[in-house]
Amino acid sequence: MTFVTKLSFESGDRRVLEETVDDLHRTIERKGVECKGPHAFSPERTRVQLYKQLRPGDQFSPWEYTVYARKLEIHGADDIAREMVGREFPDSVHVEVEVDRKKPLGHGRE
């Protein structure tokens, strides 16, 4: 049974995000592990209303920021995937990890 580790990265700092993901990708490839990505997504513009008091009414100008996202998939090599996930990432980068179990082709349902 093969495991696929999916890593999702988000940040408001595009430069730090790209450096982090590119470094991780180079490290994974150097170790000879199959890696798909990084896949880039369209930046998402977010707008947050700011109120001068705790109740609606008087407002400041809205706060606007952009969130950039990338995804990587590590196929197999569970030990390497665990090592990559256990790394320290910059505070400005949000990381989510999802692990899927893939059955080999021709393997029937249980």
Side-chain angles (χ1 to χ4, degrees), residues 48-50 59-63:
V48 179
Q49 293 296 328
L50 300 174
Q59 295 180 4
F60 292 108
S61 297
W63 177 43

Side-chain angles (χ1 to χ4, degrees), residues 19-90:
E19 286 174 1
T20 300
V21 173
D22 288 345
D23 178 53
L24 188 66
H25 185 251
R26 279 192 304 274
T27 303
I28 292 168
E29 282 188 332
R30 239 188 343 262
K31 293 183 181 266
V33 176
E34 183 184 352
C35 179
K36 293 189 179 177
H39 304 288
F41 297 91
S42 297
E44 191 173 300
R45 196 88 178 122
T46 303
R47 184 181 176 116
V48 179
Q49 293 296 328
L50 300 174
Y51 296 96
K52 293 183 179 182
Q53 298 181 7
L54 293 177
R55 59 184 177 272
D58 235 358
Q59 295 180 4
F60 292 108
S61 297
W63 177 43
E64 294 185 23
Y65 62 97
T66 304
V67 177
Y68 302 93
R70 304 286 183 273
K71 283 195 178 198
L72 276 175
E73 289 183 5
I74 303 171
H75 292 258
D78 306 336
D79 53 332
I80 302 297
R82 207 172 299 116
E83 180 185 330
M84 296 302 110
V85 170
R87 282 180 152 200
E88 288 290 322
F89 293 102

Side-chain angles (χ1 to χ4, degrees), residues 74-107:
I74 303 171
H75 292 258
D78 306 336
D79 53 332
I80 302 297
R82 207 172 299 116
E83 180 185 330
M84 296 302 110
V85 170
R87 282 180 152 200
E88 288 290 322
F89 293 102
D91 290 338
S92 63
V93 177
H94 175 77
V95 182
E96 289 185 12
V97 179
E98 180 183 337
V99 179
D100 284 340
R101 188 170 61 180
K102 300 288 182 185
K103 294 181 182 178
L105 287 176
H107 190 275

